[in-house]
Amino acid sequence: MYAVRQFGNGIFSMNGREWSLLVACLLAIILFSVVSPHYATSGNAATVLRNSVELLLIGLGMTLLLAMGGIDVSIGIVMGLAAIAIGRVLGAGGNPLLALVAGPMVGALLGCVTATVVVLGRVPAIVGTLGLLGVYRTAVFVLLGGQWLSGLPSSLTNLLATTVLGVPVPALVIAIAYLAVWLALRRTPYGLHLLAIGNSEEKARLSGIPVIKTRFMTFVISCVLTGIAATFYVATYRNVEMTIGSTLALDAIAAVILGGTSILGGRCSLIGTVLGVLLLRILQNGLLLIGVPSLWQPVVTGILIIGVLGFEAVSNRFPLVQLLRARA
Amino acid sequence: MTEPFLVARNIAKRFGALTALANVDLEIRSGEVLALLGDNGAGKSTFIKILAGAHPPSDGELVIEGSPVAFSSPKDAASSGIATIFQELALSENLSIAENVFLGRELKRSILGIPFLKRKEMRQRVDGLLKELDAHISDPEAPVGSLSGGQRQAVAICRALNLNARLVIMDEPTAALAVAETRKVLALTRRLAARGCAVVLISHNISEVFEVADRIVVFRRGRKVAERLAAETNHEEVVSLITGAHPDVRALEKPN
């Protein structure tokens, strides 16, 4: 169970799980290319990558949360609330720079609310964030007043659709976010504390780790990343609809678990999360192109979660599978 | 003889009407392994919890190197140089040996205000400690989850040493270990004392105690009923002290 390979702490270290995800991505691409003539185009590749931006940012935060033994099921609606704030700033003709900081700021604020409930209030994370999900969802309805925010000015879009030295801004931001999260996780005391808490909160406390501070910070970091995701969302779609973010938490948890992060905490893979997000988006896009209605997307996500966790439960029960896995 | 590292004077602990510990006087010396023996409920655990700062005593005082101390938390005890290795070791199985040894007290350097781990230095320090303890663990980067029970004890001892502990309290360190592992942990205990640490060992295994302890203290019904130099007593006498069959204990417990 604690094979040494987990300690591949390199920035892009891959283990068996991650290689198989990469293979799964490639297989899916080949399969869809054969079935649909519209699939293997550069335009579609761009669409898949474009659709992955928000989920990549949110997935990084969710990886930290799950690794710590936490979870945030309200994360999609947090993005919705941040997107509304950004939309309002843009709609009022506000400075695009203000719109740029509005997302992370609203994210930080909501992260403090979540952390207050879950960490300071000691409500179990799954229950606390489920409660907040209800509250936030109603807040989205009330703030939007039953109407979409649409036709937002393109000032933010112009700012984020550019390239820096030939690299698209979203790719750059994701690279920076990945590097920052990886450094925090593998190169600072915070990362060690987070993993220790994920292993056992009680032992972490006995070891003299600042458990409350570490947990609080992590919920806030996750929401700030979500606020940045909201900025890209508004820049791309230039509208905010009533159902914004409703499947994001499910997608994020699915991608992170696919990537090899333990739902029980203590173990995580950032590169796995990236590959998990890509696989999820490739499948969702491909199924759409071969004629499966988008209504079915959450079904695919759900089946992936159940499949992965089911497989892990089975492989933990049967020694043979465990043995095979230990050899991997 | 040099001044003891810690002196406990007239220590008592009451939980409501229940007296868990009464009138315990004890000296703990550096470089010496002191074994606490006694039946379940004799007061050993209560006593070490007082030493570890987990319980405040109801009465009496603790004196460390001549000055009285009062612990309100395990952290206070730790900063006075007392480290406790509990039976259920507080190690994180998913982290490496080096990470565990430094957990909560990492070496770090600040770059742009962000604390970064000094991984190399931590690894080297732990490597040195493991060699010094002759713990037969070659790779400080190995996850603690992959170690045997005895190796985990060694990691916990490293952790205590790394906190510059002057007194290490070990609560039944060999209770869950196989024979060969037990031998190693006992050897570690001896080496800890040889390094100048004071060691307090709680054990149920009398032959084990005779193997490592310099002094033996027997608790019975919340009192210290006997103190012997290990060299001057034997298995039978210690058993009779624990069970209360020894004349000294009978005299002590005779209703007056």
Side-chain angles (χ1 to χ4, degrees):
Chain A
M1 183 144 184
Y2 295 102
V4 179
R5 62 186 167 82
Q6 277 171 23
F7 287 74
N9 281 348
I11 189 155
F12 296 124
S13 322
M14 308 256 285
N15 63 33
R17 170 68 154 261
E18 286 126 9
W19 283 112
S20 39
L21 269 176
L22 192 61
V23 171
C25 287
L26 296 175
L27 281 178
I29 290 170
I30 293 168
L31 192 75
F32 288 127
S33 310
V34 173
V35 178
S36 166
H38 310 293
Y39 190 81
T41 62
S42 61
N44 191 47
T47 304
V48 171
L49 290 175
R50 194 5 271 146
N51 286 344
S52 306
V53 172
E54 291 89 26
L55 195 55
L56 281 170
L57 290 166
I58 293 172
L60 290 175
M62 190 63 80
T63 309
L64 293 179
L65 281 176
L66 290 187
M68 190 180 69
I71 197 166
D72 188 346
V73 297
S74 71
I75 207 75
I77 316 297
V78 167
M79 190 188 89
L81 286 170
I84 291 173
I86 300 162
R88 290 266 189 257
V89 171
L90 285 177
N95 188 333
L97 285 177
L98 183 62
L100 218 49
V101 293
M105 274 176 57
V106 171
L109 194 73
L110 293 174
C112 288
V113 174
T114 308
T116 303
V117 170
V118 171
V119 181
L120 303 184
R122 297 184 180 281
V123 181
I126 180 94
V127 182
T129 58
L130 200 56
L132 287 170
L133 171 69
V135 176
Y136 292 165
R137 192 189 285 281
T138 305
V140 168
F141 280 116
V142 170
L143 286 169
L144 289 179
Q147 277 185 316
W148 288 29
L149 285 184
S150 54
L152 295 171
S154 60
S155 43
L156 199 57
T157 315
N158 297 339
L159 215 58
L160 295 180
T162 50
T163 59
V164 175
L165 303 170
V167 184
V169 170
L172 199 65
V173 171
I174 287 168
I176 293 170
Y178 183 93
L179 182 69
V181 171
W182 179 84
L183 281 174
L185 194 58
R186 304 294 185 198
R187 289 290 178 266
T188 69
Y190 162 78
L192 282 188
H193 296 171
L194 179 143
L195 290 169
I197 293 169
N199 179 65
S200 160
E201 204 176 319
E202 185 50 33
K203 287 180 179 178
R205 208 188 318 274
L206 282 174
S207 305
I209 285 173
V211 173
I212 305 241
K213 184 179 140 199
T214 306
R215 294 191 67 214
F216 199 101
M217 266 175 72
T218 309
F219 278 95
V220 174
I221 289 171
S222 164
C223 282
V224 168
L225 285 165
T226 306
I228 299 172
T231 314
F232 284 108
Y233 183 92
V234 176
T236 309
Y237 300 108
R238 286 167 54 195
N239 64 37
V240 181
E241 76 273 20
M242 299 289 289
T243 57
I244 182 169
S246 48
T247 59
L248 257 180
L250 179 65
D251 283 352
I253 293 165
V256 172
I257 291 172
L258 263 179
T261 294
S262 165
I263 188 89
L264 299 174
R267 178 164 60 86
C268 69
S269 161
L270 287 177
I271 193 74
T273 293
V274 171
L275 291 167
V277 167
L278 292 177
L279 178 61
L280 197 65
R281 287 301 192 231
I282 287 169
L283 288 177
Q284 288 170 343
N285 164 273
L287 290 172
L288 206 62
L289 284 185
I290 64 171
V292 179
S294 64
L295 182 70
W296 288 87
Q297 283 185 358
V299 177
V300 176
T301 320
I303 289 174
L304 278 176
I305 293 187
I306 295 168
V308 171
L309 291 184
F311 174 77
E312 281 177 1
V314 168
S315 62
N316 284 339
R317 204 168 313 140
F318 294 110
L320 181 66
V321 187
Q322 236 171 359
L323 198 70
L324 289 174
R325 226 164 43 146
R327 297 275 167 83
Chain B
M1 183 157 272
T2 55
E3 190 189 9
F5 171 71
L6 184 145
V7 180
R9 280 199 198 112
N10 201 24
I11 295 286
K13 180 68 188 174
R14 289 178 289 273
F15 298 99
L18 179 82
T19 301
L21 215 55
N23 310 324
V24 176
D25 290 294
L26 199 64
E27 291 185 351
I28 300 170
R29 296 192 182 85
S30 301
E32 188 182 74
V33 177
L34 172 70
L36 299 188
L37 283 169
D39 240 328
N40 293 334
K44 311 175 300 250
S45 298
T46 309
F47 184 69
I48 64 157
K49 278 183 179 146
I50 288 170
L51 290 184
H55 287 330
S58 308
D59 235 327
E61 66 169 354
L62 295 176
V63 179
I64 291 183
E65 296 185 313
S67 36
V69 289
F71 302 144
S72 57
S73 74
K75 216 167 184 168
D76 287 353
S79 53
S80 293
I82 299 178
T84 310
I85 300 174
F86 291 105
Q87 219 170 333
E88 63 289 3
L89 304 167
L91 299 175
S92 296
E93 291 88 349
N94 59 335
L95 301 181
S96 75
I97 295 167
E99 288 166 341
N100 264 289
V101 169
F102 279 93
L103 197 59
R105 294 190 31 153
E106 298 83 3
L107 301 179
K108 52 210 169 197
R109 69 170 72 82
S110 184
I111 302 173
L112 302 171
I114 301 163
F116 282 99
L117 295 169
K118 291 181 169 176
R119 300 178 77 90
K120 202 174 156 197
E121 275 185 63
M122 296 200 294
R123 197 179 322 134
Q124 284 166 349
R125 275 268 287 276
V126 172
D127 226 359
L129 281 172
L130 289 171
K131 283 217 177 70
E132 198 177 330
L133 287 173
D134 197 13
H136 298 286
I137 300 175
S138 52
D139 181 12
E141 289 296 298
V144 163
S146 70
L147 302 181
S148 68
Q151 288 173 319
R152 288 182 203 203
Q153 283 286 348
V155 175
I157 291 169
C158 271
R159 193 174 151 78
L161 284 179
N162 194 47
L163 299 174
N164 292 320
R166 314 264 314 276
L167 165 60
V168 178
I169 302 167
M170 300 170 83
D171 185 8
E172 304 249 11
T174 60
L177 300 185
V179 178
E181 292 269 272
T182 299
R183 309 241 58 83
K184 276 187 197 154
V185 170
L186 293 179
L188 280 180
T189 311
R190 260 336 309 177
R191 266 196 292 271
L192 212 49
R195 267 174 124 260
C197 262
V199 181
V200 171
L201 175 77
I202 291 197
S203 179
H204 269 115
N205 186 326
I206 297 169
S207 23
E208 213 174 279
V209 163
F210 271 102
E211 211 169 313
V212 289
D214 299 298
R215 260 187 320 143
I216 296 172
V217 164
V218 178
F219 278 67
R220 187 173 152 78
R221 296 182 181 162
R223 285 164 187 277
K224 177 180 134 183
V225 294
E227 178 168 345
R228 300 275 189 278
L229 286 173
E232 292 171 4
T233 182
N234 58 54
H235 203 294
E236 288 72 28
E237 190 190 22
V238 168
V239 171
S240 67
L241 285 167
I242 293 172
T243 58
H246 194 281
D248 286 7
V249 182
R250 283 201 186 159
L252 206 67
E253 289 180 350
K254 196 166 65 185
N256 41 3

